Amino acid sequence: MAETGPCGPCSEIHFDRGAELSEGPHCLPDHSEHCPRWLEVWNLVFMESEQRADGTRVPLPMKSVDTGMGLERLTSVIQQVSTNYDTDLFTPIHTAMRELLGHDPEVFEAERFSYQVIADHSRAVTFLVADGVAPANDGRGYVLRRIIRRAVRHGRLLGRREPFMDVTAGVVIDVMKGAYPYLDEQRARILKVIHQEETQFARTLETGTSHLEAALAPLTKTERTIGRRPESLPEDTPVLPGDVAFRLHDTYGFPVDLTVDMAAEYGVRVDREGFVAAMAEQKARSRKGTKAELARHAELGDLYQAIQRRSGETRFLGYDATTAEGRIVAILRDGMEYQELTGHGEAEVVLDATPFYGEGGGQVGDRGELLEAGGGSALFTVDDTQKPIAGLFVHRGRLHGRLRVGETVTAQVDAERRARTMRNHTATHLLHRALRNVVGPDAHQAGSLVAPDYLRFDYPLDRPLTAAEKTAIEDDVRRIVREDRPVTTVVQPMAAAIAAGADAFFDEKYGEKVRTVRVEGYSLELCGGTHCSASGQIGSFVITADRSIGAGTRRIEAVTGDGADALLRARTDLLERIADKIGATSVDAVPERVAALQDELREVRRRLKAGGGGLPKPAGLVAAAEEVAPGVRLVAHSAAFDSTEQWKAFAKEIRAVMSSGVIAVAFDSDAPQIFVTVSPDMVERGISAVELVKVAMNPMDGRGGGRPEMAQGMGTRRDGVVAALAAIADTLRTAGK
């Protein structure tokens, strides 16, 4: 079966498709992969020996038969068709794709390879998504992502620019749902995941393809052959440098596997070793600055371990109190231990017992003060409390007195800050349960932060919450807050907690004994954090944000208590100011007034367009160009273009008039974009379009890339367009000084 492992003689079943398909005397059943006459439909290996690395074989203690039959191959025999892709498992997918493209049978045969790739990959991704795999940058998710991207590229080769894989995946579901009914049950989710991934990749594919083809042009004159494999290229094949492939990957997010496949179609091999070397070089640059830091952390870790071995674990008293006495067992500064420290400066203090909570389980560390025993003068301000190793609480802050190992101090937590943190932590548990109640059980915690001023909660979901879902979650949490339900904690065996239905939080490590936090009749979770004693202490709850932080993962942010009150007050004040600015008679009249203003604006735009008041003349813009630095002229313009083609064409028209200078043209839309070109003489002076786009992306909250002479970026904030153009001008002014 392989070079080593179980093996034995085999028996194969071949189907004779007909003598007319024979290609000569060499066309034997044993060579079916090279001759269309024979089709292997079944293979059986009689496992009786184990092949060892030295070539010897020993009998297996238990013999067996390894059998495998190809469903598609057997289907092709039964249906008497020439290939697997001509069976009714795949032909409906071909038909759907042909209808989308308007291809007749002749075109289909000419483009058969791409059609087969799309059909095969559509089926694969449908089953992967149904099995719970989501597109990602590693593991199973990356396999899914690569399959989708390869299918999308072959769709582009066939001339399809719009999304299509949700259509072909829908056909797969129709074909296979009889045998796999769960496909139809998950239809909406499957098609949505595939559509989103295809749409996101479309922009990367378009940009990366154009740059790759430009890099390949000087290397080869070979006619492109769709389906040509990299391994089939001859030894003297032209080579695309590895650093070029890496730049496509790093700057434009273009997958190297796609670069290898596309280059092969043009008869060019990619220097994979050079690509790996370029990536390693970048990683080395990133690591260079962290080696000393890692060494310092290792030394500190050893020091903390020594303190704990000597003094034992810190006893945490903070569940019941915010002030307690503790004996100093260690004082540290700059990685060194001291028996005594006097004066001022940063330091770390370890006590045998403390009410200060050390950061963990998403909850931030406490702040406060260490006072003279009995509550005297302040000796040390605690800015943070950490647990660098399990069981050891380290108070980090500023010394302004004298501390000596062995002395007792009064540890006093900032009680108000702790109370705010507790409100947010208990609210996080309520949010977790409400989210799962509304969205479904899969919306479990994937990370959290509990701070005094706000909370955030990460969870898996491939779409934003709807307005109705957000309202339902807030309403559910507020209901539990109003009902002022008791919040209780119990320490019990892990098995007992799980049996009681406790939810374990993301990536936490638990011992045999665990602490559970129960909000009566609502939620039960494993948690070591500090909490309210009743849900009513939370006061208020408002979701402030729900946004994507990566493929398939979202983040909710919320505020509670006086933070929520302040937010609602600020929003009310803002709404009243808006009402005043737009001339609404009251806050309730704002929607009606806004609608009237929108109607007026649409009418003005219509009149301008009808009167020829559309885009300004390029010559006029160039004549009014601002000299932002000596010899550096800038044309910066923003407009709601009808299309990306009109947008880029307008920028090119300006460049045709303006031979020297910088041009920045913004596409004002819900997904705003900026296109920047820099003339060659300005590039020689060190001005880069890439750097200008990066500056512009900050106010637009986006990403971009390109070359020194031409770059573009896309943002998510339409209200940042004006600031983005201003940022480009400011950068040029600074560079010119």
Side-chain angles (χ1 to χ4, degrees):
M1 297 290 285
E3 292 184 5
T4 60
C7 61
C10 77
S11 173
E12 299 172 348
I13 299 176
H14 294 259
F15 179 73
D16 186 353
R17 293 180 182 275
E20 67 276 9
L21 296 176
S22 176
E23 294 182 348
H26 68 280
C27 191
L28 302 172
D30 195 37
H31 297 160
S32 61
E33 67 271 22
H34 303 298
C35 178
R37 175 177 178 176
W38 303 99
L39 179 69
E40 180 186 338
V41 295
W42 207 327
N43 176 285
L44 302 98
V45 179
F46 301 93
M47 301 289 197
E48 56 185 37
S49 305
E50 180 185 359
Q51 174 100 6
R52 293 181 172 172
D54 61 3
T56 61
R57 294 177 184 170
V58 296
L60 288 172
M62 182 177 292
K63 295 179 173 56
S64 63
V65 179
D66 182 288
T67 178
M69 178 185 68
L71 169 65
E72 290 83 2
R73 293 189 180 196
L74 192 61
T75 305
S76 72
V77 170
I78 294 172
Q79 297 181 357
Q80 287 293 287
V81 293
S82 56
T83 74
N84 294 348
Y85 293 102
D86 294 308
T87 67
D88 59 10
L89 294 170
F90 291 103
T91 51
I93 308 174
H94 298 328
T95 300
M97 199 66 197
R98 280 180 53 192
E99 289 175 355
L100 288 176
L101 295 165
H103 284 177
D104 58 28
E106 288 186 8
V107 176
F108 169 77
E109 288 300 329
E111 303 290 353
R112 174 178 274 271
F113 182 81
S114 289
Y115 269 96
Q116 291 178 174
V117 169
I118 290 169
D120 176 84
H121 290 13
S122 295
R123 192 171 69 166
V125 301
T126 300
F127 278 90
L128 280 170
V129 175
D131 286 342
V133 181
N137 290 327
D138 56 12
R140 301 188 307 164
Y142 185 58
V143 174
L144 172 61
R145 176 162 282 169
R146 286 179 61 185
I147 295 173
I148 292 175
R149 289 178 170 184
R150 188 163 186 260
V152 172
R153 187 176 77 84
H154 278 274
R156 288 296 179 95
L157 293 175
L158 293 174
R160 179 72 179 182
R161 289 290 183 268
E162 299 79 13
F164 64 88
M165 287 203 69
D166 55 339
V167 175
T168 55
V171 176
V172 172
I173 294 172
D174 291 337
V175 171
M176 308 299 291
K177 66 183 180 183
Y180 304 94
Y182 68 89
L183 293 177
D184 202 33
E185 294 167 4
Q186 299 185 57
R187 180 187 293 265
R189 186 183 67 84
I190 293 170
L191 301 188
K192 184 174 183 179
V193 170
I194 293 172
H195 180 80
Q196 286 181 339
E197 180 67 15
E198 179 179 5
T199 303
Q200 290 171 2
F201 180 58
R203 292 189 292 269
T204 299
L205 180 61
E206 184 173 348
T207 303
T209 298
S210 63
H211 286 286
L212 175 58
E213 290 178 341
L216 292 173
L219 298 176
T220 180
K221 301 297 182 186
T222 303
E223 186 175 342
R224 184 178 194 179
T225 302
I226 304 302
R228 181 189 284 144
R229 303 299 301 155
E231 57 269 19
S232 69
L233 297 173
E235 289 289 329
D236 58 350
T237 295
V239 177
L240 180 74
D243 61 333
V244 175
F246 177 72
R247 189 163 62 251
L248 286 167
H249 163 80
D250 191 49
T251 305
Y252 303 104
F254 203 67
V256 66
D257 305 291
L258 206 50
T259 299
V260 170
D261 286 348
M262 290 183 63
E265 293 174 354
Y266 284 96
V268 176
R269 181 169 56 84
V270 175
D271 178 11
R272 290 297 294 259
E273 292 182 0
F275 172 85
V276 172
M279 178 173 282
E281 183 180 344
Q282 186 199 53
K283 289 181 178 179
R285 286 195 299 268
S286 300
R287 286 195 300 265
K288 189 175 180 181
T290 63
K291 284 185 178 178
E293 187 71 13
L294 289 172
R296 190 178 74 84
H297 280 300
E299 292 175 1
L300 275 175
D302 292 340
L303 183 56
Y304 293 137
Q305 293 281 3
I307 293 170
Q308 189 180 61
R309 284 195 298 269
R310 183 179 72 230
S311 306
E313 293 189 354
T314 308
R315 287 184 295 115
F316 179 57
L317 311 173
Y319 290 136
D320 304 311
T322 54
T323 301
E325 301 289 302
R327 181 173 56 85
I328 299 174
V329 298
I331 304 170
L332 299 88
R333 174 177 282 173
D334 298 328
M336 294 180 63
E337 269 200 270
Y338 292 83
Q339 283 298 111
E340 180 179 319
L341 266 185
T342 304
H344 298 79
E346 294 184 352
E348 298 181 346
V349 179
V350 181
L351 305 177
D352 67 335
T354 182
F356 282 78
Y357 182 83
E359 181 174 320
Q363 180 175 327
V364 299
D366 278 332
R367 294 178 184 175
E369 291 181 316
L370 302 184
L371 312 173
E372 292 176 337
S377 300
L379 302 174
F380 187 82
T381 299
V382 180
D383 294 323
D384 191 17
T385 309
Q386 291 288 325
K387 291 184 288 188
I389 61 174
L392 192 74
F393 288 60
V394 177
H395 308 78
R396 294 174 176 168
R398 293 161 286 133
L399 178 69
H400 35 80
R402 183 185 66 83
L403 293 176
R404 179 190 291 271
V405 173
E407 291 186 345
T408 298
V409 294
T410 298
Q412 184 173 283
V413 174
D414 181 339
E416 181 55 39
R417 184 176 183 273
R418 163 75 78 81
R420 289 192 174 100
T421 305
M422 289 166 61
R423 284 196 288 268
N424 284 334
H425 205 154
T426 305
T428 299
H429 285 215
L430 300 186
L431 170 63
H432 189 187
R433 174 47 52 194
L435 185 65
R436 299 181 76 178
N437 288 346
V438 173
V439 178
D442 290 338
H444 55 79
Q445 180 174 336
S448 69
L449 173 68
V450 178
D453 48 347
Y454 81 111
L455 67 89
R456 75 178 188 219
F457 186 92
D458 302 339
Y459 63 102
L461 193 66
D462 59 1
R463 59 173 178 82
L465 294 174
T466 65
E469 287 172 334
K470 178 183 170 184
T471 298
I473 292 166
E474 286 184 325
D475 287 349
D476 209 21
V477 173
R478 290 170 182 167
R479 175 177 62 83
I480 302 301
V481 171
R482 287 193 304 273
E483 292 173 359
D484 195 24
R485 299 193 181 192
V487 179
T488 55
T489 61
V490 175
V491 176
Q492 59 185 318
M494 177 70 170
I498 297 301
D503 294 323
F505 264 25
F506 167 75
D507 225 14
E508 283 292 308
K509 295 180 180 178
Y510 302 100
E512 291 183 8
K513 293 277 190 176
V514 295
R515 182 172 181 264
T516 59
V517 177
R518 181 189 298 274
V519 179
E520 188 176 280
Y522 192 70
S523 72
L524 177 64
E525 296 188 2
L526 306 184
C527 182
T530 59
H531 286 270
C532 303
S533 59
S535 60
Q537 294 172 4
I538 295 170
S540 304
F541 177 83
V542 178
I543 293 176
T544 58
D546 170 50
R547 65 177 186 274
S548 171
I549 58 170
T553 305
R554 299 195 66 79
R555 171 172 292 169
I556 286 179
E557 294 180 1
V559 290
T560 65
D562 54 357
D565 294 342
L567 175 67
L568 294 175
R569 189 181 305 113
R571 287 182 174 177
T572 301
D573 291 345
L574 176 61
L575 188 55
E576 289 176 349
R577 291 199 302 273
I578 291 172
D580 182 61
K581 288 287 186 183
I582 65 175
T585 57
S586 67
V587 167
D588 293 336
V590 166
E592 184 180 344
R593 180 59 181 154
V594 168
L597 290 173
Q598 287 176 325
D599 289 341
E600 291 177 18
L601 181 58
R602 277 192 289 270
E603 178 61 20
V604 169
R605 285 176 173 169
R606 186 192 65 75
R607 291 179 182 178
L608 283 172
K609 197 168 185 179
L615 294 174
K617 299 293 184 184
L621 288 176
V622 174
E626 179 185 2
E627 187 169 0
V628 291
V632 181
R633 300 172 69 212
L634 169 67
V635 170
H637 184 72
S638 170
F641 294 92
D642 293 333
S643 65
T644 54
E645 290 76 15
Q646 184 193 34
W647 167 49
K648 290 188 176 180
F650 185 64
K652 291 177 181 178
E653 290 173 6
I654 299 173
R655 176 56 70 203
V657 180
M658 185 181 184
S659 59
S660 174
V662 178
I663 299 169
V665 181
F667 190 158
D668 186 3
S669 68
D670 291 335
Q673 301 182 69
I674 278 188
F675 185 65
V676 176
T677 65
V678 178
S679 59
D681 59 319
M682 294 293 105
V683 173
E684 290 178 3
R685 289 180 57 174
I687 298 174
S688 168
V690 175
E691 296 305 317
L692 294 177
V693 164
K694 285 182 180 178
V695 169
M697 288 300 98
N698 288 329
M700 288 172 56
D701 192 16
R703 295 177 60 189
R707 306 188 305 274
E709 59 274 10
M710 182 175 67
Q712 71 182 74
M714 174 180 288
T716 58
R717 292 185 53 194
R718 188 173 191 170
D719 59 353
V721 169
V722 174
L725 294 175
I728 290 174
D730 290 341
T731 301
L732 291 172
R733 290 190 188 97
T734 304
K737 291 181 179 179

